[in-house]
Amino acid sequence: MNITSLKSLSLSAITLVILSGCQLAPTQPTLTLPVPDAYSSTEVKTSAAQLNWQQFFNDDKLQTLIAQSLEHNKDLQIAVLNVQRVRGMYQIEDSALYPSLDLNASGTRQRLPADLSSTGSAAISSQYGATVGITSYELDIWGKVRNQSAQALQNLYSTELSQYSTQVSLVSELANAWLNYATDLQLLALANETLASQQTSLSLTQKSFDLGAASLITLEQLKSTVATAKVDIARYKRLLKRDKNALDLLVGKPVPANLLPSADLESLLTMPEVPVGLPSDLLSQRPDIKAAEHLLLAANANIGIARAAFYPSISLTANAGSASSDLSGLFDSGSGSWSFVPSINLPIFNMGRNQANLDVAEAEQEIAVATYQQKIQGAFREVADALADREGYQEQLSALELLINSRKKTFELSSMRYKKGADSYLQVLDAQRTWYGAQQELISGQQAYLASQINLYKVLGGGWSSTTEQPTQEPK
């Protein structure tokens, strides 16, 4: 092999190293989930991946409100704008992988006095130039620029997933606010019905008292029950106004009356069956967990950036063009010009700053690992709690149904005994009061059960599988 071939081979090898670069970022190890493989129940009826918010919340009014909130809610709009901001930051970092081409044109005219001129007389000089070239393009030998781009890309993925997590939270909050309105509306209807019944009884008792057939204590007890019902009515009217305000805020605009709930809680939300015994690794698809995973990858790339600071950096500045002392001859033959200015920077001593930056990057990566695992553990508990709530509220509702029937029967028997003179009216009032309380408990129990269903939608990531997958192509 002759010297020319050897030089050609060496130049090719150097070019390959420059173009391919070194990868100083550590390889990200596969992380195991710090949770059990499955939940306690073994029942699996459907896949959470097949569900989205339209399938969870199939009431036409609620679907309309959710669609409006996804368009007008300010928190979601801020999340969308934040994604646009981070996408721009990624494009800035990614552009550093490629040289920038600039076109420059300049012209100068200068008069020199006689005592400064080489000819001994005043002279006017002119110079014109036009060049195209690259300025301070850093060769990515150690992968620093690629790791900066990779870090920005992972931050973009994380921000996009955080936006979807915000959307899931918004849908669940709106469904809960809508449920709260329906609950207070039903409690108000119950209080109005109870007040009407008690006012009828009070009117009859007042007439009996005036005729001397009823005692004063019976009359006063009835007045207290009427007052209690009025207090409840005032409270539920106040709560309904607050519920409406919450709906307006979540939707982002005033909610019209025709979109407010009106049906009973039993038929308000007919939600599909959700997975009970799903394996715990499905939690890694939750948008907030996937966002933490991408932050972990970003921290990994940051280590490569910190390591590259220990190595020399090479920058190139080059241009080619034309220069002339006469503007009309700027592009004539023989006026060509070029320059090539490579520069190298080798860190020697900086009081340990580079090592400190590397230590910080490694610590941040360990923090990201711990945060990722913590989020998974927290998510596993949230899902397990939601499943436990759903099962517990189902049993509670069954018991409340029995309690309602028993209290109603007690009230009916007390009324019959009072009419026959076997009991005083105080027993009737007590039975009516306990029946009213049991009805309130049933409505609250129905709300709690439906709220647990909404919460389960939220903690499972809300139809996440088709939406929170990592993009297959880099953002443009």
Side-chain angles (χ1 to χ4, degrees):
M1 180 179 290
N2 55 36
I3 295 178
T4 303
S5 300
L6 182 60
K7 289 181 177 179
S8 177
L9 180 61
S10 299
L11 181 60
S12 299
I14 293 173
T15 303
L16 180 63
V17 169
I18 290 176
L19 293 178
S20 62
C22 299
Q23 182 54 267
L24 299 179
T27 302
Q28 179 60 51
T30 302
L31 298 176
T32 57
L33 300 182
V35 290
D37 293 333
Y39 300 106
S40 57
S41 175
T42 58
E43 177 188 5
V44 181
K45 295 188 176 181
T46 187
S47 170
Q50 300 171 353
L51 300 176
N52 50 40
W53 68 263
Q54 289 91 346
Q55 292 171 300
F56 268 94
F57 311 107
N58 54 11
D59 184 274
D60 293 338
K61 293 181 179 180
L62 181 55
Q63 284 192 354
T64 301
L65 287 182
I66 291 175
Q68 290 180 359
S69 70
L70 295 178
E71 181 180 357
H72 300 289
N73 182 267
K74 300 306 177 185
D75 288 336
L76 191 57
Q77 288 179 2
I78 292 172
V80 171
L81 293 173
N82 195 40
V83 170
Q84 295 178 7
R85 179 183 65 85
V86 178
R87 181 177 288 111
M89 294 172 63
Y90 161 69
Q91 291 173 340
I92 293 172
E93 295 293 344
D94 190 61
S95 66
L97 288 169
Y98 311 96
S100 59
L101 195 63
D102 299 321
L103 175 64
N104 295 293
S106 63
T108 60
R109 283 179 62 83
Q110 182 180 17
R111 180 185 183 280
L112 291 177
D115 58 346
L116 294 179
S117 174
S118 59
T119 61
S121 60
I124 296 177
S125 63
S126 302
Q127 182 176 347
Y128 302 94
T131 61
V132 60
I134 59 175
T135 304
S136 299
Y137 171 61
E138 182 176 349
L139 299 179
D140 195 25
I141 300 176
W142 315 112
K144 172 187 173 183
V145 180
R146 282 182 290 116
N147 279 319
Q148 288 174 334
S149 176
Q151 181 187 35
L153 180 61
Q154 296 302 327
N155 285 332
L156 173 58
Y157 288 155
S158 177
T159 306
E160 289 176 337
L161 289 161
S162 296
Q163 174 198 336
Y164 183 70
S165 183
T166 300
Q167 175 180 318
V168 171
S169 297
L170 172 62
V171 171
S172 61
E173 287 179 22
L174 180 58
N176 268 313
W178 201 68
L179 177 62
N180 290 339
Y181 187 96
T183 301
D184 290 333
L185 187 64
Q186 192 163 338
L187 287 169
L188 176 61
L190 175 62
N192 280 322
E193 180 183 344
T194 302
L195 176 61
S197 174
Q198 290 174 343
Q199 283 180 328
T200 300
S201 298
L202 176 60
S203 177
L204 294 174
T205 304
Q206 181 68 54
K207 292 178 181 179
S208 298
F209 175 77
D210 293 340
L211 296 174
S215 64
L216 179 60
I217 189 171
T218 300
L219 180 62
E220 293 301 325
Q221 285 285 351
L222 262 174
K223 288 181 179 180
S224 68
T225 57
V226 169
T228 300
K230 288 181 177 180
V231 169
D232 288 343
I233 289 173
R235 180 171 72 253
Y236 296 134
K237 285 182 177 179
R238 174 180 59 84
L239 291 177
L240 280 173
K241 291 180 180 180
R242 292 175 62 90
D243 295 338
K244 176 63 166 54
N245 293 338
L247 284 171
D248 291 344
L249 178 62
L250 290 170
V251 174
K253 65 178 187 177
V255 176
N258 64 320
L259 292 181
L260 294 173
S262 56
D264 292 338
L265 290 181
E266 291 180 297
S267 57
L268 187 66
L269 291 177
T270 306
M271 305 182 74
E273 292 291 339
V274 290
V276 179
L278 73 165
S280 59
D281 58 359
L282 290 180
L283 286 176
S284 63
Q285 299 302 315
R286 268 183 35 158
D288 57 334
I289 293 178
K290 292 293 289 182
E293 180 181 340
H294 286 294
L295 289 179
L296 173 58
L297 295 175
N300 210 52
N302 192 38
I303 293 178
I305 298 171
R307 287 177 176 175
F310 288 90
Y311 297 89
S313 61
I314 300 175
S315 298
L316 300 180
T317 298
N319 63 70
S322 178
S324 174
S325 61
D326 189 357
L327 182 60
S328 61
L330 182 60
F331 297 103
D332 290 347
S333 176
S335 63
S337 66
W338 61 267
S339 68
F340 179 66
V341 187
S343 63
I344 184 170
N345 176 52
L346 177 63
I348 296 177
F349 178 72
N350 54 22
M351 286 296 293
R353 183 172 64 248
N354 288 342
Q355 183 60 49
N357 286 333
L358 178 58
D359 292 341
V360 170
E362 291 176 343
E364 288 177 344
Q365 194 256 6
E366 293 178 3
I367 292 172
V369 171
T371 301
Y372 176 67
Q373 294 177 330
Q374 182 187 49
K375 280 188 174 294
I376 291 179
Q377 290 176 331
F380 183 86
R381 176 183 174 180
E382 288 174 358
V383 175
D385 286 348
L387 293 173
D389 287 344
R390 189 178 75 145
E391 183 179 356
Y393 286 131
Q394 284 177 328
E395 295 178 358
Q396 182 176 329
L397 286 176
S398 298
L400 282 172
E401 291 285 356
L402 296 176
L403 179 63
I404 286 283
N405 294 333
S406 176
R407 294 286 171 82
K408 182 180 180 182
K409 188 67 175 178
T410 301
F411 171 68
E412 291 173 348
L413 291 174
S414 297
S415 298
M416 293 174 57
R417 289 176 59 84
Y418 169 72
K419 291 176 181 179
K420 294 180 179 181
D423 281 335
S424 69
Y425 199 70
L426 293 179
Q427 278 74 25
V428 177
L429 290 176
D430 184 65
Q432 186 181 39
R433 191 163 44 245
T434 55
W435 183 33
Y436 174 58
Q439 289 175 290
Q440 289 178 315
E441 286 186 48
L442 179 61
I443 294 173
S444 298
Q446 290 171 339
Q447 179 197 21
Y449 172 70
L450 293 175
S452 71
Q453 295 285 78
I454 296 172
N455 186 49
L456 188 56
Y457 157 83
K458 178 182 178 180
V459 299
L460 285 177
W464 34 258
S465 80
S466 61
T467 307
T468 60
E469 292 179 352
Q470 177 175 324
T472 56
Q473 296 182 347
E474 295 181 359
K476 300 297 184 183

